[in-house]
Amino acid sequence: MNKRKLFAIAAMSFFVASQAFAQATRTWVSGVGDDVNPCSRTAPCKTFAGAISKTAAGGEISALDPGGFGAVTITKSITINGDATLAGILSAGATQGILVNAGPSDTVIIRGVSINGAGTGVNGIRFLAGGELHVENVTMYGFTGQGILFAPSAASALFVNDSSIRNAGGGGIYIQPTGAGTAVAAINRVALDGNGRGLRAEDGSTVVVRNSHAAGNFANGFVALATSRAVDVTLENVVSSGNGATGIYAGALTSIKISNTMVTRNNAGLQSVGGGTITSFGNNRVLDNAINNGPPNVTVPQI
């Protein structure tokens, strides 16, 4: 066999091998799939972890049918989509439902998934690094830690829409930038019920919460705390009710602005300490709390 034929055979073998290991832009999982499959629609994988290695950066993993698709670690831009199915993650034991440790410009989208800690899982979603995390139409419950622990070490953004977080022992959403990290967060139509606390934002966080509620949590409904860097929280059309500690709590170096917000039947209504401020736009209702039914630190007129 001459050299030209040998070269042609080698090139063809390399091409076939490359195709075999190529990543697809869209992959599929199924309750009756198998992770040895290529994750195509006709040969789906069994788990999100099995599909993610076969999905190209910026691609999407979609659920074909109901199933428990397992915990997953995400290190690149990707969408996990369980729309119109009963797509679930069971993360019992000392595990994270979803761990995000992606690149600084990566966008991760989690949509239409139920994440169950079964009373022993640590966090529903733990975010360490990435550009943006979008959580849409997701239910999280039964964790010893947080529903969402958002702890970026650089500049990152969190967007949570149309979701429910309940029975997380630590809290519903904990925004906790580390080091020089900063967080911008927008929370919309989210229920934070029966957790250790509703939402907590710390150093370097800017948070907007709209059309949401924190109810029946063991400690605070909405709390901002800082030790070295400012925190700014805006609550618009929000309810904080039946929480065991304070409905809205502003610690040192923090500012919380409230508009069209109801704070009722908590142990304490509004509380600010260490120079923290709660600013009202004059259209809020704070009543029937055991103590601290107001006033806010500042009331400003509406334009």
Side-chain angles (χ1 to χ4, degrees), residues 30-84:
S30 168
V32 293
D34 193 317
D35 283 348
V36 302
N37 290 338
C39 303
S40 63
R41 194 176 188 284
T42 54
C45 284
K46 175 71 172 177
T47 68
F48 290 137
I52 200 166
S53 63
K54 300 172 186 177
T55 309
E60 180 169 319
I61 303 170
S62 296
L64 274 171
D65 50 36
F69 300 116
V72 61
T73 296
I74 297 173
T75 58
K76 58 189 174 184
S77 290
I78 203 149
T79 297
I80 292 180
N81 187 354
D83 278 352

Side-chain angles (χ1 to χ4, degrees), residues 129-157:
E132 296 180 2
L133 172 63
H134 297 254
V135 179
E136 303 167 357
N137 193 28
V138 171
T139 300
M140 286 167 270
Y141 54 97
F143 290 93
T144 60
Q146 317 297 321
I148 298 174
L149 174 55
F150 193 75
S153 57
S156 301

Side-chain angles (χ1 to χ4, degrees), residues 91-110:
S91 58
T95 58
Q96 317 288 332
I98 297 174
L99 177 64
V100 180
N101 193 9
S105 61
D106 288 340
T107 297
V108 174
I109 302 171
I110 311 298

Side-chain angles (χ1 to χ4, degrees), residues 12-226:
M12 181 60 70
S13 298
F14 176 78
F15 175 78
V16 171
S18 298
Q19 289 296 101
F21 290 99
Q23 293 180 319
T25 302
R26 181 186 292 274
T27 56
W28 302 84
V29 293
S30 168
V32 293
D34 193 317
D35 283 348
V36 302
N37 290 338
C39 303
S40 63
R41 194 176 188 284
T42 54
C45 284
K46 175 71 172 177
T47 68
F48 290 137
I52 200 166
S53 63
K54 300 172 186 177
T55 309
E60 180 169 319
I61 303 170
S62 296
L64 274 171
D65 50 36
F69 300 116
V72 61
T73 296
I74 297 173
T75 58
K76 58 189 174 184
S77 290
I78 203 149
T79 297
I80 292 180
N81 187 354
D83 278 352
T85 67
L86 297 175
I89 293 173
L90 178 63
S91 58
T95 58
Q96 317 288 332
I98 297 174
L99 177 64
V100 180
N101 193 9
S105 61
D106 288 340
T107 297
V108 174
I109 302 171
I110 311 298
R111 180 185 303 132
V113 178
S114 172
I115 309 175
N116 181 3
T120 57
V122 182
N123 301 301
I125 300 175
R126 184 180 181 188
F127 181 99
L128 298 177
E132 296 180 2
L133 172 63
H134 297 254
V135 179
E136 303 167 357
N137 193 28
V138 171
T139 300
M140 286 167 270
Y141 54 97
F143 290 93
T144 60
Q146 317 297 321
I148 298 174
L149 174 55
F150 193 75
S153 57
S156 301
L158 170 66
F159 305 94
V160 187
N161 289 280
D162 301 302
S163 295
S164 172
I165 304 173
R166 61 182 183 270
N167 303 125
I173 299 175
Y174 189 4
I175 302 171
Q176 186 191 35
T178 62
T182 60
V184 173
I187 316 296
N188 189 36
R189 294 188 300 272
V190 173
L192 304 166
D193 299 322
N195 304 293
R197 60 180 171 264
L199 178 143
R200 174 167 169 162
E202 293 190 356
D203 299 65
S205 301
T206 301
V207 183
V208 175
V209 183
R210 299 185 69 247
N211 309 312
S212 302
H213 72 261
N217 297 290
F218 178 78
N220 300 307
F222 297 93
V223 55
L225 291 173

Side-chain angles (χ1 to χ4, degrees), residues 194 214-219 221 239-245 247 263-267 289:
N217 297 290
F218 178 78
V239 175
S240 185
S241 176
N243 299 295
V263 183
T264 186
R265 297 192 179 278
N266 304 285
N267 182 58
N289 302 285

